[in-house]
Amino acid sequence: MTTAASSSTKLRNAFSYCVRQVRTNDYENFLCILHLPPGPRAAAFALRAFNIETAQAGDMKETNLAMMRLVWWRDAVDGIYKKKTLEHPVIQALGAVISENRLSKHWFTRLLEARMTDLDSMSPLNVAEVERYAEDTASSLLYLTLEASGIRNTSADHAASHIGKTAGMGLLLRASPYHGARRRSYIPLETAAKHGLAQEELYRGQNAEALANAVHEVASVANSHLEKARSLAPLVPAPALPVLLPAVPAGVLLQTLERINFNVFDPKLVRGVCGISPLWMHLKLKWHAYKGTY
């Protein structure tokens, strides 16, 4: 086998690994990505796989080990921009995507720094800090996907910012039981105090009324970002619309939260995809893609 053929096979295997990672660990975004054109679709799978790998690194129980792993990812991304790509399938795929699309290093750095800072952080003080974390992580991924789609448009960027905040905040709320079991919480301290919520109630898995009220407040802020993003739709260029489809599962998740009275311990929240059947989510996305909406 020639060197060129070997390299091509290695790269194809790297992208296949990324697709499997996203399908297994981020199914709602897997469904969204299927509606992108082939080039941006491959890039989006690489970007989402990178997000999964760094999120899993940040979830390691030992903070020092988690930080070491995130530093490894930071150095690996630095290496791509220095033409020194490491032998890891996600890094191999990212290297090809970055080279082809000239993606901004800034968004990778911002995402990684947010995850590193989060390792040593207590609960956020206020909703603004939750919004900032969602912007630095989920919105950064959408900015990169827009770049990979060749889209440089202010309205698309603004919509992506709001959709990222909606999706990121919703994900943190959905993961509250997981974080609570590890004695972490993304319910802002000011919001908890306002509703008389003791963090121990969340840590013990108790669905107190105070917790539901606090979740409702955070979810309402997330929903306001979704409404703002959708109000920008007439200004967003058509090629950007499929990139913004993650607004659909983000909205469904908020609807599920409302349906279960903001009880983050209700098993319906993690049933199917964002609380609905995978088939129904697939049909919703197909409808939005057909209509050119998000």
Side-chain angles (χ1 to χ4, degrees):
M1 183 180 291
T2 66
T3 301
S6 177
S7 297
S8 177
T9 299
K10 182 185 295 184
L11 190 57
R12 189 163 55 249
N13 290 340
F15 276 105
S16 295
Y17 174 86
C18 292
V19 173
R20 290 194 301 272
Q21 279 287 77
V22 179
R23 182 167 190 162
T24 301
N25 298 288
D26 190 4
Y27 194 66
E28 60 259 41
N29 279 299
F30 172 82
L31 293 176
C32 293
I33 291 170
L34 296 180
H35 295 280
L36 294 173
R41 186 188 310 152
F45 276 126
L47 292 167
R48 290 286 170 180
F50 168 75
N51 184 55
I52 290 164
E53 296 277 358
T54 56
Q56 290 176 342
D59 282 342
M60 296 174 72
K61 289 185 178 181
E62 293 292 332
T63 301
N64 288 340
L65 291 177
M67 180 60 77
M68 289 172 61
R69 193 62 183 162
L70 287 171
V71 168
W72 184 91
W73 280 102
R74 184 192 64 192
D75 292 346
V77 170
D78 285 344
I80 292 174
Y81 284 90
K82 295 174 181 176
K83 310 299 183 185
K84 298 177 181 177
T85 306
L86 298 179
E87 293 290 330
H88 185 287
V90 174
I91 293 299
Q92 293 284 321
L94 273 184
V97 169
I98 289 170
S99 174
E100 182 175 347
N101 299 283
R102 299 178 179 272
L103 300 185
S104 303
K105 184 181 176 183
H106 167 73
W107 303 123
F108 291 105
T109 301
R110 191 169 77 156
L111 186 151
L112 285 164
E113 287 181 350
R115 296 211 187 283
M116 290 178 181
T117 301
D118 187 54
L119 290 179
D120 297 321
S121 297
M122 303 295 289
S123 296
L125 176 62
N126 49 45
V127 174
E129 291 189 3
V130 183
E131 291 174 289
R132 188 177 308 116
Y133 182 72
E135 163 75 21
D136 289 346
T137 52
S139 298
S140 292
L141 285 171
L142 290 175
Y143 298 145
L144 285 164
T145 310
L146 286 170
E147 286 190 356
S149 302
I151 297 163
R152 304 293 200 278
N153 177 270
T154 302
S155 294
D157 286 345
H158 285 168
S161 173
H162 289 293
I163 292 168
K165 290 188 181 82
T166 302
M169 295 173 77
L171 179 61
L172 291 174
L173 290 176
R174 182 173 65 183
S176 292
Y178 172 80
H179 292 135
R182 300 162 74 95
R183 302 189 68 79
R184 291 290 306 271
S185 171
Y186 289 88
I187 302 296
L189 295 175
E190 288 182 0
T191 304
K194 174 182 174 181
H195 295 286
L197 171 65
Q199 298 284 42
E200 284 296 327
E201 291 176 309
L202 177 59
Y203 298 159
R204 290 197 296 266
Q206 296 177 344
N207 180 42
E209 182 180 356
L211 174 58
N213 290 337
V215 170
H216 178 222
E217 182 169 323
V218 177
S220 295
V221 175
N223 190 63
S224 71
H225 284 293
L226 182 60
E227 291 176 347
K228 179 62 177 176
R230 285 176 169 162
S231 75
L232 292 166
L235 304 174
V236 174
L241 296 173
V243 177
L244 303 179
L245 278 175
V248 176
V252 169
L253 181 60
L254 294 179
Q255 291 169 355
T256 299
L257 273 170
E258 183 177 19
R259 192 168 66 249
I260 61 177
N261 297 314
F262 302 97
N263 174 10
V264 293
F265 296 105
D266 192 314
K268 295 187 187 71
L269 187 59
V270 293
R271 188 174 297 164
V273 184
C274 300
I276 65 174
S277 73
L279 176 59
W280 187 230
M281 179 64 79
H282 178 62
L283 292 174
K284 275 181 171 289
L285 286 165
K286 282 183 72 70
W287 175 250
H288 280 279
Y290 172 73
K291 297 285 286 184
T293 58
Y294 53 80

